């Protein structure tokens, strides 16, 4: 009770220095050009006056050669991650401006949400120098890794940016132990990953090593940045837990400019906060994850279900009613329903039973047969594989793969329990999905091992430990969409997401894939863990230089 009282007092907005505004451009407090030049000298030329990637295609920055490079690489997520002003989601790159490769080149390129200056740090000393500079000048500071941020926490107009994409390194260790005084952990197999690594390359290295690592479902998501700081869901999460459940240790440069180690023995509160508390506690330079034995086989089942509009509700309800059975049979995966078809990528780890996986889908085949017999054509097509490892599910050349980067997307979401797929709740949820106007994506990435972890063991929303699925509502806009219509889309998504929330009271959202405009954002993102997070944030970042919109410590 006493510790809870301290947390509540720490959460009180009555403090002074912590609530003072940080410095942004073009305020008088902004450092002079000579001061920036001095930082650039310290960083050996790695400080950039950043602009949106399409700037060379627009006045006043027109550069035909550079514009050609931008057009050639516009959808390349790896190229975007390397650009000082590049983000995978241009909604958080340009903001409300028209600085894209297909906009009128005579329309001036605005700064958008790109930080004024970005330090592309090359090593830990560079990180320390950048953080010390930010603290000394009390700069509002953003940290950018692989640039997969759907909530705009790594960008911000008038801010100072620190890019960690060049902090590489993947190192495996078979008998790693944590030592602190007389305390010593049991030896275990781990992998140390630099903040600039992408999951594709980690999976490749793990495959060669003969081990498995819990990671993201994208080639280019960062393996030691925002993904894990927000919790980190994975197709392997039902087997081994969330990303944060697999972290052994962080190395982080905190706002005081010091490199610290955070684990179960050292900086324990910080270790807790970094496992799900999101950005805002400093610059992570390295993450150590436990590894698992190699997975001998994975059933990968691709499914496409087509139907008429008359069958949409029934087909979706049938498929949703199967979710508890899929979870019980160790499935994980991703599902995309619409009013014309349902696409799904379903996985069963540590299994080669392709026939058994197909048999689990029998209720959907039976419903399709009945609908077709009744004159409402419906077809269920499946294509199954047995693959030898996680890495084998990433067969494309990372230099050419297109994962949808360079477009605008906004998201809303909720975690949901298995009960929503049963009885009266199933009918209400089916009706909601059928009627809501946005793209819906079902992630079967919880339950199993995720549910065995205490709700207070990490900083993620406690409802992760009661959930089975993470469900996303997605929207976006074209490069020429008017600002007024963009605002309508934003407000519409927020409104529909709140309607979704009413169906699952007490359940929060995955902070990395959620609506930045959540009206009760701290409750939705962190629930009962938020007061403790604020207390830790206040201690570690008293000036608030790493505080971003609707991140821990932000004051509405």
């Amino acid at each position: 009770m006493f510790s809870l009282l301290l947390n509540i007092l720490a959460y009180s907005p009555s403090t002074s220095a912590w609530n003072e505004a940080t410095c942004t451009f073009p305020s008088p407090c902004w450092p002079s050009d000579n001061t920036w030049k001095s930082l650039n000298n310290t960083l050996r030329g790695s400080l950039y006056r950043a602009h949106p990637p399409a700037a060379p295609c627009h006045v006043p920055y027109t550069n035909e050669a550079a514009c050609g490079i931008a057009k050639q690489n516009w959808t390349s997520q790896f190229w975007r991650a390397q650009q000082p002003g590049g983000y995978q989601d241009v909604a958080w790159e340009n903001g409300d401006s028209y600085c894209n490769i297909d906009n009128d080149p005579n329309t001036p390129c605005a700064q958008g949400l790109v930080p004024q200056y970005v330090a592309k740090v090359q090593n830990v000393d560079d990180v320390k120098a950048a953080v010390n500079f930010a603290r000394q000048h009390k700069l509002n500071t953003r940290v950018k890794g692989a640039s997969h941020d759907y909530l705009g926490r790594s960008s911000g107009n008038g801010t100072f940016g620190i890019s960690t994409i060049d902090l590489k390194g993947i190192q495996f260790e078979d008998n790693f132990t944590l030592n602190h005084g007389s305390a010593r952990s049991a030896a275990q197999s781990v992998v140390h990953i630099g903040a600039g690594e992408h999951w594709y390359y980690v999976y490749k290295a793990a495959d060669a090593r003969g081990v498995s690592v819990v990671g993201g479902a994208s080639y280019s998501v960062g393996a030691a940045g925002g993904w894990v700081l927000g919790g980190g869901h994975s197709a392997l999460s039902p087997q081994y837990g969330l990303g944060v459940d697999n972290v052994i240790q962080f190395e982080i440069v905190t706002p005081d400019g010091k490199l610290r180690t955070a684990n179960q023995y050292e900086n324990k509160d910080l270790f807790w906060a970094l496992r799900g508390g999101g950005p805002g506690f400093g610059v992570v330079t390295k993450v150590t994850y436990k590894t698992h034995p190699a997975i001998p086989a994975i059933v990968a089942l691709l499914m496409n279900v087509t139907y008429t509009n008359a069958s949409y509700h029934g087909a979706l309800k049938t498929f949703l009613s199967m979710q508890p059975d899929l979870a019980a049979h160790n499935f994980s995966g991703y599902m995309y329903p619409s009013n014309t078809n349902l696409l799904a990528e379903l996985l069963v780890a540590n299994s080669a039973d392709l026939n058994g996986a197909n048999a689990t889908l029998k209720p959907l085949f039976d419903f399709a047969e009945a609908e077709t017999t009744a004159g409402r054509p419906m077809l269920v097509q499946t294509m199954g594989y047995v693959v030898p490892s996680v890495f084998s599910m990433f067969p494309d050349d990372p230099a050419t793969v297109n994962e949808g980067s360079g477009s605008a997307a906004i998201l809303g979401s909720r975690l949901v329990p298995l009960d929503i797929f049963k009885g009266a709740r199933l009918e209400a949820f089916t009706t909601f999905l059928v009627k809501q106007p946005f793209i819906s994506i079902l992630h079967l990435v919880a339950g199993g091992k995720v549910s065995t972890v205490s709700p207070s063991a990490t900083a993620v929303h406690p409802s992760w430990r009661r959930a089975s699925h993470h469900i996303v509502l997605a929207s976006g806009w074209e490069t020429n969409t008017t600002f007024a219509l963009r605002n309508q889309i934003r407000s519409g998504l927020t409104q529909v997401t709140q309607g979704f929330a009413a169906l699952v009271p007490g359940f929060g959202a995955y902070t990395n894939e959620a609506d930045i405009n959540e009206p009760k954002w701290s409750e939705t993102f962190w629930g009962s863990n938020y007061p403790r997070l604020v207390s830790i944030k206040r201690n570690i970042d008293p000036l608030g230089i790493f505080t971003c919109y609707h991140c821990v410590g932000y004051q509405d």
Side-chain angles (χ1 to χ4, degrees):
M1 180 64 72
F2 180 66
S3 61
L4 176 61
L5 177 62
L6 288 179
N7 283 337
I8 293 172
L9 290 173
Y11 178 44
S12 171
S14 62
T15 56
S16 55
W18 192 59
N19 287 302
E20 292 175 7
T22 50
C23 182
T24 57
F25 179 85
S27 302
C29 57
W30 191 252
S32 67
D33 290 347
N34 285 336
T35 305
W36 286 109
K37 288 178 182 177
S38 177
L39 176 62
N40 188 42
N41 290 335
T42 300
L43 297 176
R44 304 169 311 284
S46 293
L47 180 70
Y48 294 83
R49 173 65 179 90
H51 299 283
C57 301
H58 291 259
V59 295
Y61 309 108
T62 306
N63 182 311
E64 186 174 346
C67 178
I69 293 172
K71 289 181 176 180
Q72 181 180 356
N73 293 283
W74 190 251
T75 60
S76 168
Q77 55 271 32
F78 294 98
W79 177 82
R80 285 186 157 274
Q82 283 290 340
Q83 305 312 301
Y87 296 83
Q88 310 301 338
D89 183 353
V90 298
W92 300 109
E93 180 177 279
N94 291 323
D96 281 341
S97 67
Y98 294 116
C99 188
N100 296 283
I101 55 172
D102 59 350
N103 290 134
D104 182 355
N106 292 314
T107 299
C109 179
Q111 187 69 23
L113 297 176
V114 173
Q116 289 290 118
Y117 284 93
V118 173
K120 285 194 74 180
V121 292
Q122 304 298 305
N123 52 49
V124 171
D125 285 341
D126 285 354
V127 178
K128 291 179 178 179
V131 171
N132 284 331
F133 184 89
R135 185 188 67 259
Q136 290 161 7
H137 297 279
K138 205 178 178 184
L139 301 179
N140 194 302
T141 304
R142 300 288 189 267
V143 182
K144 169 175 121 73
S147 308
H148 277 266
D149 187 346
Y150 292 100
L151 282 81
R153 300 163 300 185
S154 57
S155 63
N157 181 258
T159 62
F160 171 48
I162 299 174
S163 170
T164 61
I165 195 61
D166 291 333
L167 299 182
K168 304 297 187 184
I170 303 170
Q171 179 186 1
F172 294 91
E173 192 171 342
D174 290 333
N175 294 291
F176 178 75
T177 60
L178 297 173
N179 301 286
H180 187 67
S182 60
R184 182 183 179 91
S185 68
Q188 56 189 315
S189 172
V190 304
V191 58
H192 310 284
I193 304 175
E197 292 289 353
H198 301 273
W199 273 119
Y200 172 84
Y201 295 105
V202 176
Y203 290 144
K204 183 177 182 179
D207 197 56
R209 181 78 174 189
V211 298
S212 297
V213 186
V214 175
S218 163
Y219 283 76
S220 57
V221 165
W227 178 82
V228 69
L229 294 176
H233 69 66
S234 168
L236 294 180
S237 287
Q239 296 284 315
Y240 301 121
L242 297 170
V244 293
D245 302 329
N246 286 270
V247 175
I248 302 299
Q249 180 171 277
F250 292 93
E251 292 183 17
I252 178 173
V253 176
T254 46
D256 59 3
K258 296 180 180 179
L259 178 66
R260 299 181 188 276
T261 297
N263 56 42
Q264 69 184 65
Y265 300 125
E266 297 182 72
N267 298 298
K268 292 186 288 185
D269 279 350
L270 181 59
F271 182 53
W272 179 86
L274 292 173
R275 289 178 293 157
F281 298 92
V283 182
V284 171
T285 60
K286 185 184 295 183
V287 179
T288 299
Y289 295 95
K290 67 176 71 172
T291 63
H292 302 275
I295 295 175
I298 302 172
V299 168
L301 200 62
L302 306 179
M303 183 174 68
N304 182 26
V305 185
T306 55
Y307 36 73
T308 64
N309 192 60
S311 299
Y312 179 27
H313 188 283
L316 181 57
K317 184 176 181 180
T318 299
F319 185 65
L320 294 178
S321 73
M322 294 161 51
Q323 297 302 307
D325 200 36
L326 292 177
H329 283 83
N330 202 35
F331 278 80
S332 61
Y334 312 92
M335 297 146 274
Y336 312 84
S338 74
N339 63 349
T340 58
N341 73 312
L342 186 154
L343 296 172
E345 179 184 8
L346 301 173
L347 306 171
V348 188
N350 292 306
S351 173
D353 186 5
L354 196 55
N355 291 332
N358 254 319
T360 311
L361 304 177
K362 187 177 184 300
L364 195 59
F365 284 105
D366 290 347
F367 182 82
E369 182 178 1
E371 287 295 284
T372 301
T373 300
R376 297 182 291 272
M378 179 173 167
L379 180 64
V380 180
Q381 298 172 294
T382 62
M383 183 180 298
Y385 305 89
V386 176
V387 297
S389 67
V390 172
F391 179 63
S392 60
M393 293 188 292
F394 293 83
D396 297 321
D397 182 349
T400 58
V401 69
N402 183 351
E403 294 185 309
S405 294
S407 58
I410 56 172
L411 309 177
S413 72
R414 275 302 181 277
L415 300 167
V416 305
L418 278 180
D419 283 351
I420 202 171
F421 303 110
K422 302 173 184 178
R425 297 187 74 183
L426 169 62
E427 175 61 30
F429 185 44
T430 303
T431 299
F432 167 78
L433 287 179
V434 167
K435 290 184 176 181
Q436 66 88 21
F438 301 110
I439 297 169
S440 55
I441 310 169
L442 284 68
H443 300 67
L444 177 49
V445 292
K449 189 70 172 179
V450 176
S451 300
T452 67
V453 178
S454 167
S456 61
T458 66
V460 298
H461 195 288
S463 61
W464 262 113
R465 309 308 178 180
R466 297 182 286 125
S468 62
H469 292 62
H470 155 56
I471 298 179
V472 168
L473 306 178
S475 190
W477 47 77
E478 302 298 324
T479 56
N480 61 352
T481 301
T482 65
F483 300 156
L485 182 53
R486 295 181 192 188
N487 285 332
Q488 289 179 25
I489 295 170
R490 291 180 178 115
S491 61
L493 180 66
T494 297
Q495 182 178 3
V496 171
T497 300
Q498 296 312 299
F500 181 15
L503 297 176
V504 284
F507 281 77
Y510 174 45
T511 59
N512 285 344
E513 296 167 354
D515 181 10
I516 191 62
N517 295 313
E518 279 282 351
K520 297 181 179 179
W521 57 272
S522 60
E523 177 184 329
T524 299
F525 296 160
W526 295 288
S528 57
N529 285 330
Y530 190 69
R532 183 181 176 190
L533 279 168
V534 172
S535 176
I536 296 167
K537 165 72 172 178
R538 176 172 164 164
N539 288 330
I540 207 76
D541 186 17
L543 297 179
I545 61 172
F546 287 104
T547 301
C548 49
Y549 183 71
H550 285 183
C551 297
V552 172
Y554 180 83
Q555 298 291 337
D556 279 322

